[in-house]
């Protein structure tokens, strides 16, 4: 993504360079984000990242430290470190480094933006417009700690830093009492962090998932298919209150036939109210709510296709598995669709035994029973990053819920080894694509995530999967939606 960084400087005299120059930047530290600065007559706006939030700070280029700035090196060198940093911060310049580096940065800025030092009085600018094109090569170094970690390792060895060069083209123009400097920056997409490979131990041929380039072309018109979307919303009521979220927009953009939700956290008494807010055309919805713990767990299937039948839970009489609202199954003409929210093993792995010895086995048996009559599509938050490629930091999470050896083995034994296909991994065998990012430490901004959400399909229909994809740009939850297009 390209960002434009504009710098307007008011001055009475502007000197234009006669030849292209390379401008050195010392002690300049950036992460992979894009910084946009605009300095006008008396203020500047600093834009960080892609959300373009800004703030204005009063500033007069010719009045620093409360006195006129005449370009004297002695004036700058007499400033304290705190004064230097405060001044550089107002100018939108880097504030890290030793005092001599701060002085050098400020002197460089004044040399390139202040009135002519050889003349003690202000001069009028010429009315003619001068323009020069200046190519600047800036080497980005000393990444922020979070980004360093995203490319480091677990043994305390020297972390690999992203050292990328940015080519900036600068166009300088001069008018009466005003000069403007426009810098067009082409940078890595900070607004699309999932396109950057983030893994502590990446293998040589792994690539970052990019839905813009890795999805197949649309099916030919007239091809019979169904489009399913699944999403752990981590609280449906809270999600619906977000101004940035619109289920209508998501439906218009994706045009899905069926939407599966997990962790709705609603109670039975809330269902009718929620149904009234459903999008027109999606008239068939089926909700399973926790009755053992209110406002907990919960799943739902919302569809514009009327199913042949609906089931809640596993159907086992007296089973504790069906008390938390974790399974809804609908039957369509050619397959069963099971939406599930698999129990997390919990803090201290207190539910690990229940998870792998009871839940996984019961769900597996339930699926195999359904499969006797027609193929099955299992989707939802399965709460397991099955392979090391499915988690940013595998070594650091070997005893974390969702990546224990027991859970990964159970995932393989109860599902994959019984003939079910992980559709995303089949389509993208060497691709790092996450569906969950913890809220702590801004993991989503640095793409330090887990792949916990899946579509597992019966082997008999695996070849009918046209696309299994992730929508990492959709916010509103700590999970993102994933989609499946299945030819019928």
């Amino acid at each position: 993504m390209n960002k434009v960084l504009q710098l307007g400087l008011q001055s009475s005299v502007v000197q234009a360079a006669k030849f292209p120059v390379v401008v050195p930047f010392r002690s300049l530290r950036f992460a992979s984000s894009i910084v946009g600065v605009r300095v006008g007559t008396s203020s500047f706006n600093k834009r960080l990242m892609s959300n373009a939030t800004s703030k204005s700070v009063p500033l007069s280029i010719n009045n620093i430290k409360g006195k006129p700035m005449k370009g004297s090196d002695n004036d700058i060198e007499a400033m304290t470190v705190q004064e230097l940093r405060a001044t550089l911060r107002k100018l939108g310049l880097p504030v890290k480094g030793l005092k001599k580096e701060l002085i050098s940065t400020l002197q460089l800025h004044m040399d390139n933006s202040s009135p002519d030092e050889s003349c003690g009085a202000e001069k009028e600018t010429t009315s003619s417009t001068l323009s020069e094109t200046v190519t600047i090569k800036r080497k980005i170094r000393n990444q922020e700690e979070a980004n360093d970690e995203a490319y480091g390792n677990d043994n305390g060895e020297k972390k690999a830093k992203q050292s990328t060069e940015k080519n900036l083209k600068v166009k300088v123009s001069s008018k009466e009492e005003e000069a403007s400097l426009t810098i067009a920056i082409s940078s890595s997409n900070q607004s699309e962090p999932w396109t950057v490979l983030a893994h502590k131990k990446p293998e040589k041929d792994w690539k970052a998932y990019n839905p813009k380039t890795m999805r197949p072309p649309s099916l030919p018109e007239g091809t019979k298919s169904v489009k399913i979307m699944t999403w752990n919303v981590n609280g449906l009521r809270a999600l619906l209150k977000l101004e940035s979220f619109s289920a209508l927009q998501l439906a218009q953009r994706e045009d899905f036939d069926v939407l599966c939700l997990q962790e709705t956290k609603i109670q039975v008494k809330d269902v009718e109210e929620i149904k009234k807010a459903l999008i027109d055309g999606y008239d068939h919805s089926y909700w399973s709510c926790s009755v053992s713990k209110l406002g907990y767990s919960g799943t739902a299937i919302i569809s514009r296709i009327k199913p042949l039948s609906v089931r809640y839970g596993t159907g086992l009489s007296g089973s504790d598995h069906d008390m938390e609202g974790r399974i809804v199954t609908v039957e369509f003409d050619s397959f069963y669709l099971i939406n599930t929210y698999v129990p997390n093993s919990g803090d201290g792995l207190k539910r690990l035994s229940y998870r792998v010895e009871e839940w996984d086995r019961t769900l597996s048996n339930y699926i195999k029973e359904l499969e006797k009559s027609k193929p099955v599509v299992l989707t939802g938050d399965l709460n397991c990053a099955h392979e090391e490629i499915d988690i940013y930091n595998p070594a650091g999470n070997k005893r974390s819920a969702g990546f224990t050896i027991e859970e990964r083995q159970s995932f393989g034994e109860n599902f994959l080894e019984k003939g079910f296909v992980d559709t995303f991994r089949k389509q993208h065998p060497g691709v790092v694509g996450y569906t969950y990012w913890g809220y702590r430490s801004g993991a989503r901004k640095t793409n330090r995530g887990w792949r916990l959400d899946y579509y597992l399909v019966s082997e008999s229909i695996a070849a009918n999967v046209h696309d299994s994809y992730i929508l990492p740009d959709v916010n509103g939850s700590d999970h993102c939606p994933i989609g499946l297009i299945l030819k019928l």
Side-chain angles (χ1 to χ4, degrees):
M1 180 180 290
N2 290 328
K3 290 286 181 180
V4 175
L5 182 149
Q6 293 184 321
L7 179 62
L9 302 177
Q10 178 181 0
S11 61
S12 58
V13 179
V14 176
Q15 290 186 331
K18 296 181 180 180
F19 303 100
V21 296
V22 176
V23 182
F25 288 81
R26 299 181 60 188
S27 302
L28 193 58
R29 299 184 183 183
F30 284 124
S32 60
S33 60
I34 300 170
V35 180
V37 182
R38 177 179 178 84
V39 179
T41 303
S42 61
S43 67
F44 75 89
N45 293 327
K46 186 173 184 181
R47 299 187 174 215
L48 292 176
M49 317 294 283
S50 62
N51 59 5
T53 56
S54 63
K55 61 180 180 179
S56 298
V57 180
L59 173 67
S60 175
I61 289 294
N62 293 321
N63 188 352
I64 300 178
K65 263 189 82 178
K67 59 184 179 181
M69 197 69 182
K70 298 180 180 180
S72 168
D73 289 345
N74 290 334
D75 289 341
I76 297 176
E77 292 174 358
M79 297 171 70
T80 66
V81 171
Q82 289 77 11
E83 290 171 332
L84 284 165
R85 286 178 175 161
T87 301
L88 291 170
R89 189 176 290 109
K90 288 181 180 180
L91 292 171
L93 298 173
V95 297
K96 293 184 180 181
L98 301 175
K99 181 176 181 179
K100 62 180 182 179
E101 295 174 317
L102 302 177
I103 290 172
S104 176
T105 301
L106 184 55
Q107 287 175 337
L108 174 63
H109 174 78
M110 298 311 299
D111 287 344
N112 286 282
S113 64
S114 64
D116 188 353
E117 293 179 8
S118 63
C119 192
E122 296 180 349
K123 297 181 181 180
E124 291 183 359
T125 60
T126 62
S127 59
S128 62
T129 300
L130 303 174
S131 72
E132 298 287 340
T133 299
V134 183
T135 300
I136 303 173
K137 289 187 177 180
R138 176 183 295 173
K139 196 167 186 178
I140 305 303
R141 58 189 175 89
N142 297 329
Q143 292 278 323
E144 290 181 354
E145 181 180 355
N147 283 337
D148 275 343
E149 288 182 355
Y151 292 88
N153 57 43
D154 298 307
N155 300 319
E157 298 175 3
K158 186 176 181 180
K159 295 173 180 176
K161 296 178 180 177
Q162 286 180 305
S163 296
T164 58
E165 287 192 348
K166 295 184 179 180
N167 294 326
L168 293 75
K169 290 186 177 179
V170 183
K171 183 178 181 181
V172 182
S173 62
S174 172
K175 294 182 180 180
E176 185 175 358
E177 293 187 352
E178 184 175 340
S180 66
L181 178 65
T182 302
I183 304 175
I185 298 181
S186 179
S187 174
S188 61
N189 289 329
Q190 179 61 28
S191 62
E192 299 180 338
W194 54 87
T195 61
V196 178
L197 181 62
H199 199 281
K200 282 211 167 186
K201 289 186 176 181
E203 293 186 7
K204 186 177 180 180
D205 58 344
W206 287 359
K207 297 178 181 179
Y209 179 66
N210 187 346
K212 290 183 177 179
T213 61
M214 293 183 177
R215 292 189 61 185
S218 299
L219 286 169
E221 190 172 351
T223 303
K224 192 174 182 181
S225 64
V226 61
K227 190 173 189 178
I228 307 168
M229 187 155 293
T230 190
W231 193 6
N232 179 323
V233 293
N234 193 14
L236 184 58
R237 282 187 173 278
L239 180 65
L240 293 174
K241 291 178 182 178
L242 291 178
E243 294 180 1
S244 60
F245 172 76
S246 169
L248 177 60
Q249 290 176 350
L250 184 61
Q252 289 174 338
R253 168 180 148 179
E254 292 301 315
D255 192 28
F256 51 77
D257 297 300
V258 185
L259 174 63
C260 300
L261 302 177
Q262 304 90 45
E263 207 171 357
T264 58
K265 296 182 179 179
I266 65 171
Q267 300 180 36
V268 174
K269 65 181 181 65
D270 301 322
V271 170
E272 290 305 316
E273 180 186 352
I274 295 293
K275 281 186 176 183
K276 293 177 183 179
L278 294 181
I279 305 166
D280 290 342
Y282 294 86
D283 301 325
H284 312 286
S285 65
Y286 310 95
W287 305 78
S288 183
C289 304
S290 173
V291 293
S292 61
K293 184 177 180 181
L294 300 182
Y296 172 72
S297 186
T299 50
I301 293 180
I302 302 168
S303 176
R304 61 185 176 194
I305 305 171
K306 185 177 180 178
L308 302 177
S309 66
V310 182
R311 306 184 188 190
Y312 300 94
T314 58
L316 297 178
S317 178
S319 172
D320 291 339
H321 305 313
D322 297 343
M323 302 298 289
E324 295 179 354
R326 293 184 178 273
I327 298 178
V328 179
T329 304
V330 293
E331 179 188 4
F332 295 118
D333 289 338
S334 54
F335 66 95
Y336 285 101
L337 173 63
I338 303 174
N339 175 30
T340 184
Y341 176 38
V342 172
N344 189 292
S345 293
D347 293 336
L349 303 177
K350 58 186 178 183
R351 296 191 85 183
L352 177 60
S353 178
Y354 165 74
R355 158 72 187 275
V356 299
E357 294 178 9
E358 298 183 48
W359 172 272
D360 285 355
R361 292 177 184 177
T362 299
L363 179 60
S364 177
N365 292 335
Y366 173 65
I367 296 172
K368 295 304 291 184
E369 189 64 28
L370 290 178
E371 199 179 31
K372 290 178 180 179
S373 58
K374 58 181 66 176
V376 173
V377 175
L378 173 68
T379 188
D381 177 1
L382 304 191
N383 256 319
C384 179
H386 181 233
E387 300 174 343
E388 291 198 351
I389 193 174
D390 297 317
I391 182 173
Y392 159 73
N393 182 10
N397 286 284
K398 290 189 180 298
R399 295 308 294 168
S400 296
F403 194 67
T404 62
I405 294 176
E406 294 91 335
E407 289 165 307
R408 294 165 63 196
Q409 287 179 344
S410 176
F411 188 91
E413 293 171 358
N414 287 295
F415 305 109
L416 303 185
E417 293 175 16
K418 289 193 176 181
F420 291 94
V421 177
D422 177 352
T423 58
F424 181 84
R425 187 54 63 215
K426 179 184 178 183
Q427 184 175 335
H428 303 288
V431 172
V432 177
Y434 303 131
T435 65
Y436 163 83
W437 303 264
Y439 283 132
R440 302 178 193 177
S441 306
R444 196 159 188 161
K445 294 179 180 179
T446 51
N447 198 29
R448 293 173 291 163
W450 303 50
R451 187 170 74 98
L452 299 177
D453 305 86
Y454 296 79
Y455 287 97
L456 303 184
V457 303
S458 296
E459 194 170 17
S460 61
I461 59 171
N464 294 350
V465 173
H466 174 69
D467 193 11
S468 183
Y469 61 98
I470 299 172
L471 295 178
D473 62 316
V474 178
N475 295 297
S477 170
D478 48 3
H479 292 250
C480 74
I482 63 172
L484 182 78
I485 299 176
L486 182 68
K487 292 180 290 185
L488 299 177

